[in-house]
Amino acid sequence: SEPALALRGDLLGFEADGRAVLRRDAALLIDPAGRVVGATDGAASCGLGVPVRDLRGKLLAPGFVDCHVHAAQLDVIGS
């Protein structure tokens, strides 16, 4: 689907082999339902005809809903 919004910032992603990749000044493309539909260069996002929320200096980490764990949870992770 077509993007309705672009979030511009530093984008943390992962390669197919699991390696983390940090893309400086990238844009995450979001559809009207709030789903990620792609990514592009940050400067390119300005020409897409959608609102661009400028978050440069911030880290965009799509897919991370909850990035922390409490010690009491360690014994039951994955159960």
Side-chain angles (χ1 to χ4, degrees):
S1 83
E2 294 295 315
L5 171 70
L7 303 176
R8 186 175 180 180
D10 294 334
L11 178 60
L12 176 64
F14 294 89
E15 296 291 333
D17 64 4
R19 287 180 301 122
V21 176
L22 180 62
R23 292 174 57 186
R24 298 275 182 196
D25 193 16
L28 199 57
L29 308 176
I30 311 296
D31 76 4
R35 292 181 295 248
V36 174
V37 293
T40 188
D41 179 74
S45 66
C46 298
L48 294 175
V50 299
V52 177
R53 187 172 303 159
D54 192 343
L55 301 170
R56 283 179 280 184
K58 305 267 194 268
L59 180 64
L60 305 174
F64 288 115
V65 175
D66 187 354
C67 296
H68 77 285
V69 65
H70 298 272
Q73 296 170 300
L74 293 174
D75 290 338
V76 294
I77 289 176
S79 62

